[in-house]
Amino acid sequence: MPEGPSIVILREEVAGFTGQRIERAEGTAGLDKARLVGQTVRSFRSWGKQFLIELDEVSLRIHLLLFGSYRINERKDTVPRLSLGFANGGLNFYGCSVQFIEGSLDEAYDWSADVMSDAWDSRATLKKLRARPRLLACDALLDQTLFSGSGNIIKNEVLFRTRIHPLSLIGELPAAKLRELTREVRTYSFEFLQWKREGTLKAHWLAHTRTTCPRCGIPFVRAKSLGRSKRRSFYCERCQKRYGDSDEIAVEAPVAEA
């Protein structure tokens, strides 16, 4: 599943269509595509893992899910979920969710939760984290109401950087460690963006998909389904400290995207 920095790159790649009129709209998406024809693209935006196309009368929300993809000015052999044609090219989206959003995007989204946004508010995120003490660290970093745009790569890398065991309870983290965790999610997300642009992202991974801890030289634990989010995790039992005993507490589930 593309994470927030990858959607920022998509937003940048299609910026040339801003101000263009949609001349053709087709695909397998179950919405009124005729409604899109004739509308002008006012802006391309992103909120976390969601790609947003703001039009004259409505907006489009596109989520690439686990295996979605897109093509600019070209098509794959398969039928697109949504294809938008402009005078100077076209956008094609595959294997994704497509929905209309009525009304203002600024009213529909909490931009302060988006780790890539200028409106990101770390204090608000800390307040929300403190209100959910039974949330596991590995689930907190995948919760889109807390860290919109953070995905499994960011989760594994940030927990390793901050030396936090993924099964730690948020409420048991010392105040300084919780602030460090919150700060590092945003810091790593922008490094992710830079490395993705350069094509060197995987070369910088310290934990995600790795077999050996670069600090301790011992094998990583490679969990196929960890926490309530049930996502792959890679971590070191020696240098990543476990805060609290989550085995004895009924932990809560993260809030995933709709």
Side-chain angles (χ1 to χ4, degrees):
M1 180 186 294
E3 303 187 24
S6 296
I7 304 303
V8 170
I9 290 175
L10 165 58
R11 189 184 74 203
E12 294 171 346
E13 290 176 338
V14 302
F17 293 113
T18 303
Q20 297 294 308
R21 178 178 177 272
I22 297 176
E23 300 189 351
R24 172 186 50 79
E26 56 191 27
T28 63
L31 45 73
D32 182 10
K33 292 174 283 295
R35 183 182 180 188
L36 301 173
V37 177
Q39 294 207 44
T40 300
V41 176
R42 294 171 58 187
S43 69
F44 293 105
R45 304 174 73 176
S46 61
W47 185 83
K49 303 172 187 178
Q50 300 180 22
F51 177 59
L52 307 170
I53 305 176
E54 186 178 19
L55 305 173
D56 294 322
E57 300 174 2
V58 71
S59 295
L60 282 169
R61 168 196 182 272
I62 298 173
H63 194 301
L64 295 176
L65 306 175
L66 285 174
F67 304 109
S69 61
Y70 64 91
R71 296 290 186 274
I72 302 171
N73 298 330
E74 63 178 2
R75 289 201 185 202
K76 298 170 66 174
D77 292 335
T78 57
V79 178
R81 188 75 174 149
L82 179 66
S83 177
L84 299 177
F86 304 91
N88 62 341
L91 304 178
N92 300 288
F93 299 92
Y94 302 86
C96 61
S97 167
V98 183
Q99 296 178 345
F100 282 139
I101 297 179
E102 308 288 349
S104 169
L105 289 178
D106 288 331
E107 294 180 0
Y109 288 95
D110 176 10
W111 301 102
S112 70
D114 182 356
V115 297
M116 304 300 298
S117 173
D118 291 341
W120 161 258
D121 188 338
S122 61
R123 290 184 179 181
T125 300
L126 282 168
K127 182 177 180 180
K128 287 185 282 188
L129 282 166
R130 293 185 183 114
R132 301 174 65 185
R134 295 186 299 167
L135 194 62
L136 293 175
C138 62
D139 290 334
L141 270 63
L142 296 178
D143 190 311
Q144 298 304 295
T145 67
L146 298 169
F147 300 103
S148 177
S150 176
N152 214 40
I153 296 171
I154 294 173
K155 176 201 78 177
N156 286 318
E157 291 297 306
V158 168
L159 290 176
F160 182 73
R161 283 184 169 201
T162 56
R163 298 174 179 254
I164 297 172
H165 193 289
L167 294 178
S168 296
L169 288 163
I170 288 297
E172 297 296 325
L173 294 179
K177 183 60 69 172
L178 188 62
R179 290 194 298 270
E180 179 188 7
L181 177 68
T182 303
R183 181 175 61 250
E184 194 62 34
V185 174
R186 182 166 168 85
T187 298
Y188 183 80
S189 294
F190 278 93
E191 292 178 358
F192 183 128
L193 176 62
Q194 177 183 342
W195 295 329
K196 186 77 172 179
R197 286 171 174 158
E198 297 170 350
T200 62
L201 177 61
K202 291 184 179 181
H204 289 88
W205 288 349
L206 299 177
H208 189 70
T209 73
R210 301 310 192 204
T211 59
T212 305
C213 174
R215 282 194 292 253
C216 303
I218 63 175
F220 270 130
V221 175
R222 296 162 63 89
K224 292 182 179 180
S225 178
L226 199 68
R228 294 290 295 277
S229 51
K230 300 187 183 302
R231 298 296 303 278
R232 287 196 306 163
S233 293
F234 305 84
Y235 58 95
C236 179
E237 286 281 12
R238 179 181 293 175
C239 64
Q240 289 179 251
K241 182 176 178 179
R242 185 165 176 169
Y243 295 88
D245 188 355
S246 56
D247 290 338
E248 298 181 2
I249 301 177
V251 294
E252 62 174 284
V255 178
E257 291 175 312

